Amino acid sequence: MKRSAFFISDGTGITAEALGQSLLAQFDGIEFHRVTLPYIDTVEKARGAVADINESARSDGQRPIVFDTVVNEEIRKVIARSDGFNIDVFASFLKPLEQELDTHSSYTVGKSHGIHEMTAYKDRIESVNFAIDNDDGARTQQYDKADIILVGVSRCGKTPTCLYMAMQFGVRAANYPITEEDLSNDELPKILHAYKDKLYGLTIDPFQLAAIRHERRPNSRYSSLDQCSLEVRTVERMLKKADIERINTTTFSIEEIATRIIAARGLKRKVGL
């Protein structure tokens, strides 16, 4: 079963997507064709969006699901006249909040992602730069400034997790890859001993690791199941011996991995954008 879903916003569309995707994820039996329409900030653009929605309704033979986070009431009224099943986020949530708080919303576009919160924005940019500079053990001399250091085999999700934590939460995350040279015994590399309290392990199913590595270096020793199994087993023993908390990344998305690590370690989310 297929349905179309539109995420409409007068800003970046991030809020509409986040809410809409979370709700649609609850319906496993339906395949959604997703369309994001950001910066719908004029009546003319809204009419264009409505035309797209109506065309989708005609071609699909059923109503598209429409999530909109548009602030301007006139524009919202135009979108509401489409042939889609409209979920007006502001009408659904802001009005009840206004009643509960006994005050009116400012109805300002882009409030949730506004860079007027310059301290938080600066934290995020600096954290992203830190994650890039400290990827794959590039600058171990900066580990004293890290909030957390992810440890694991190559291609287990360390880099994207670090970048996600940096961009979303302003966490200074570094990562260190356990390479073949480090596998001679079950001890953590000496360079990491001084930062044991900041370490967090990532492990993965060897079959999935082999599939991921095969995309990068097909038919190589690096991507062979034997090599992947050896590395995963050795690193898991290494982490267990050093009593390092760890997570198996096999069945989790990057978002879930990052959020679980932050919660487990009680790291402060520095970015509220």
Side-chain angles (χ1 to χ4, degrees):
M1 184 178 184
K2 293 185 178 181
R3 294 290 290 270
S4 293
F6 286 78
F7 310 106
I8 302 177
S9 172
D10 45 16
T12 61
I14 293 174
T15 301
E17 280 187 334
L19 176 62
Q21 300 277 28
S22 296
L23 293 173
L24 297 180
Q26 307 306 312
F27 300 92
D28 295 333
I30 302 175
E31 180 181 345
F32 291 98
H33 170 63
R34 296 168 169 85
V35 179
T36 301
L37 300 177
Y39 300 109
I40 304 300
D41 50 11
T42 66
V43 169
E44 183 178 359
K45 290 180 181 178
R47 288 172 179 154
V50 167
D52 290 343
I53 295 169
N54 293 349
E55 174 58 33
S56 180
R58 284 191 292 272
S59 61
D60 293 349
Q62 50 193 337
R63 293 192 295 175
I65 311 301
V66 180
F67 298 91
D68 90 73
T69 56
V70 174
V71 170
N72 184 280
E73 189 170 357
E74 186 179 3
I75 296 174
R76 296 205 330 260
K77 286 180 179 177
V78 172
I79 295 171
R81 292 196 291 266
S82 77
D83 294 335
F85 175 75
N86 193 50
I87 299 174
D88 185 331
V89 175
F90 281 98
S92 301
F93 299 108
L94 267 188
K95 291 297 183 183
L97 271 175
E98 286 180 336
Q99 293 174 2
E100 176 63 27
L101 300 173
D102 194 25
T103 187
H104 290 291
S105 163
S106 62
Y107 287 89
T108 303
V109 176
K111 271 283 188 180
S112 63
H113 300 284
I115 63 171
H116 62 282
E117 298 181 37
M118 288 308 297
T119 300
Y121 184 72
K122 183 179 178 182
D123 276 343
R124 182 163 64 181
I125 297 303
E126 289 181 349
S127 295
V128 170
N129 288 333
F130 184 87
I132 293 172
D133 288 344
N134 290 276
D135 185 38
D136 276 348
R139 297 187 181 182
T140 56
Q141 68 270 22
Q142 293 186 9
Y143 279 5
D144 60 318
K145 297 177 180 146
D147 295 317
I148 194 162
I149 304 167
L150 302 186
V151 181
V153 300
S154 171
R155 311 304 288 182
C156 69
K158 300 183 303 300
T159 297
T161 301
C162 284
L163 287 172
Y164 184 84
M165 288 195 288
M167 288 192 295
Q168 293 296 319
F169 307 122
V171 170
R172 289 180 177 240
N175 75 78
Y176 187 93
I178 302 298
T179 63
E180 194 166 1
E181 291 73 27
D182 299 317
L183 299 177
S184 57
N185 56 54
D186 292 345
E187 298 287 342
L188 283 172
K190 290 183 179 180
I191 190 66
L192 299 178
H193 289 184
Y195 310 103
K196 185 178 175 181
D197 61 328
K198 296 184 178 185
L199 300 182
Y200 199 98
L202 267 60
T203 185
I204 189 173
D205 178 79
F207 286 92
Q208 181 162 327
L209 179 62
I212 293 170
R213 287 184 173 183
H214 183 76
E215 293 180 2
R216 189 180 187 189
R217 297 182 197 169
N219 303 316
S220 65
R221 179 170 172 270
Y222 170 77
S223 64
S224 70
L225 181 58
D226 286 344
Q227 180 65 22
C228 290
S229 297
L230 171 64
E231 291 184 29
V232 170
R233 287 198 309 269
T234 304
V235 171
E236 286 180 344
R237 286 197 302 268
M238 187 183 295
L239 294 170
K240 184 176 181 179
K241 185 175 181 179
D243 195 26
I244 303 299
E245 195 170 2
R246 57 197 178 276
I247 183 173
N248 190 309
T249 65
T250 306
T251 60
F252 295 126
S253 66
I254 295 301
E255 294 87 348
E256 290 174 309
I257 297 167
T259 303
R260 285 172 181 267
I261 291 172
I262 288 172
R265 281 301 175 87
L267 296 177
K268 183 180 179 182
R269 300 185 182 207
K270 302 172 186 175
V271 178
L273 300 180

